[in-house]
Amino acid sequence: MRRTYRNLFRKSTKPEKHIQVTQTETLSTSLDNNIATIKSKLGNSADLVCRVIQIDSSNQTDAYLLYIESLIDAALLQDLINALLHTKWEDPNQTTLKSDPVMSDLIKTNITVGEANEAIDFDTVLTNILSGQVAILLENESQAVTVSIPGFEKRAIEEPQSATVIKGPHEGFTETLSTNISLLRRRIRSPNLWLESKEIGKVTKTKIMIAYINGIVNEDLVTEVHHRLDKIDIDAILESGYIEELIQDETFSPFPTIYSTERPDAVAGKLLEGRVAILVDGSPFVLVAPSLIVEFFQASEDYYQRADVATLLRFLRFFCFFIALLAPSLYIAVLTYHQEMLPTTLLISIAAQRDGIPFPAFVEALMMEVAFEILREAGVRMPRAVGQAMSIVGALVLGQAAVQAGIVSPAMVIVVSITAIANFCFPAINLATSVRIVRFGMMSLAAVLGLIGIMFGIILLCIHLSSLRSFGIPYTAPAAPFIVKDQKDVFFRVPMWAMFSRPRLINQKNIKRTKSGMPKPKTTKRK
């Protein structure tokens, strides 16, 4: 049924084919026509600057520079103009300006700033101008030169807000693609770190960068990533979340099958395991594929401290996962159907607290969970100066008022509070969101069938997770299928000298990190 619904959904949302095919309009030899066409296509925008300079005083040759004032660097523009003002193309035997290789000579000998390229059609010229480039046009030339000198405002490198660490680098990705690439290059100084560029979005023309390490990555994975990105037919890509939703394996699943992070060190570690990273211009979140569910329990800080401490914290996160998922459900099931499981003293205490409560345990838990979700969303959307204080004070006041009014019991407030706190222990925020969604389903099953309903929900959850794939890789690997050699970085984090091989399902080409594995360090006894 799910497959049938998905096929019907895809058919209903299939984009219509355009009957009219637009052809690329090339530049003409008339300078006035080219400038008029560019201005017309940009709607005579007020921020479009058309500047005229004389680049060859002996022959009085004028060059027209077109650019968006807010997208270019003023200092680099002045350097470009100074270089053009000293331009001379004089033949030793003649005193006339060369006509044939003007643009090629302009690129090779005179332009000393930025990246210069030739453009022969209006679409390329307009895209480059809107990307922070300067277009240079000459009379009797059917091509233009575009020079990249971007200078738009950008955010400085800061600590990522969604993945903070105590020990480790405090640098995070920004919205600038070139800055994000430099952060990766600083960590992986290898010529095998290959970057491939794409442009997606018929209107936005967003630049996408695919990063992987040649010699480690599986070529089939790179081909699959290119294939899925090439199939995207949409007018706008404003954030990496667009790409994630369009290329993920399973649409109707609460669990994320593509890993996204703001941390450059995390992306560098994934690339070294043989994965592919997708960087989107304008987004600080980088996508990594394929991804496994165990990776959402792993923090970057696990690899910057001792193995025993990292293992303890990782077990704590798994424990918090079950608390956040099952604590309200177990409370509802035990109070509704299985009171005999509680000790007599505890049962009497809870019964005394619930004396006078007009709602059953399920309605009581549902009201508190919804109220906490409202407070959480309000705290995120409000200004940062008052958002945290509002959420904390609101939760305390609301919980105390609900208990005094006799709407909920104090035990329910404790259960919901522990559940909410455990939900914040996950390093990946998208996994925390998935747990919040599934928790309501588990509460409903517990209210209907008790512990049997909870077991039924856990079985369905395991079946669903086992059926998921991330670019062809089982989502629950290396637990299912169980791979013994890959258990060194799942529940336990073994010491670094023992982590000498890469995940086998993800990388089958260059498995070993070292030639023979790093030997265990030995201590020398003093005589």
Side-chain angles (χ1 to χ4, degrees), residues 30 40 55 77 85 89 136 138 177 184 242 259 269 314 342 480:
S30 175
S40 176
I55 63 175
L77 176 63
L85 289 175
W89 297 295
I136 305 173
L138 299 176
L177 186 60
L184 286 181
Y242 285 55
Y259 189 82
R314 193 169 291 182
L342 295 176

Side-chain angles (χ1 to χ4, degrees), residues 298-315 317 487-499:
Q298 301 170 358
S300 299
E301 200 171 3
D302 293 348
Y303 305 95
Y304 305 145
Q305 52 190 354
R306 299 198 321 267
D308 52 353
V309 178
T311 301
L312 176 63
L313 294 178
R314 193 169 291 182
F315 271 102
R317 296 189 196 110
Q487 300 301 317
K488 56 184 175 296
D489 193 22
V490 181
F491 301 101
F492 298 89
R493 206 279 277 173
V494 299
M496 283 295 177
W497 52 264
M499 298 178 63

Side-chain angles (χ1 to χ4, degrees), residues 164-185:
T164 57
V165 295
I166 299 176
K167 184 178 181 181
H170 293 265
E171 293 179 334
F173 288 119
T174 67
E175 289 77 11
T176 307
L177 186 60
S178 58
T179 303
N180 297 341
I181 294 174
S182 67
L183 292 174
L184 286 181
R185 288 288 188 185

Side-chain angles (χ1 to χ4, degrees), residues 72-118:
I72 56 97
D73 191 329
L76 294 178
L77 176 63
Q78 189 60 43
D79 294 340
L80 175 62
I81 293 175
N82 292 335
L84 294 175
L85 289 175
H86 296 86
T87 298
K88 288 186 179 181
W89 297 295
E90 292 184 359
D91 197 312
N93 301 322
Q94 301 177 2
T95 58
T96 58
L97 188 68
K98 295 181 181 180
S99 58
D100 293 335
V102 170
M103 286 300 178
S104 60
D105 287 348
L106 188 66
I107 293 176
K108 294 178 182 178
T109 61
N110 298 96
I111 298 177
T112 58
V113 296
E115 179 184 357
N117 296 290
E118 295 184 11

Side-chain angles (χ1 to χ4, degrees), residues 7-22:
N7 294 334
L8 292 175
F9 179 79
R10 289 177 177 175
K11 291 180 181 179
S12 62
T13 58
K14 186 176 182 181
E16 299 180 357
K17 297 182 178 179
H18 297 283
I19 299 177
Q20 184 179 0
V21 180
T22 58

Side-chain angles (χ1 to χ4, degrees), residues 249 290-292 468-477 505-506:
D249 290 68
S291 62
L292 311 176
L468 294 180
R469 295 291 186 273
S470 178
F471 284 79
I473 305 298
Y475 192 55
T476 53
L505 282 181
I506 296 175

Side-chain angles (χ1 to χ4, degrees), residues 24 68 106 122 137 150 192 280 346 373 386-387 428 431 434 449 462:
T24 303
I68 302 296
L106 188 66
F122 286 104
L137 290 86
N192 292 326
V280 181
L346 179 59
E373 292 296 332
V386 296
L431 178 63
S434 303
L449 299 174
C462 293

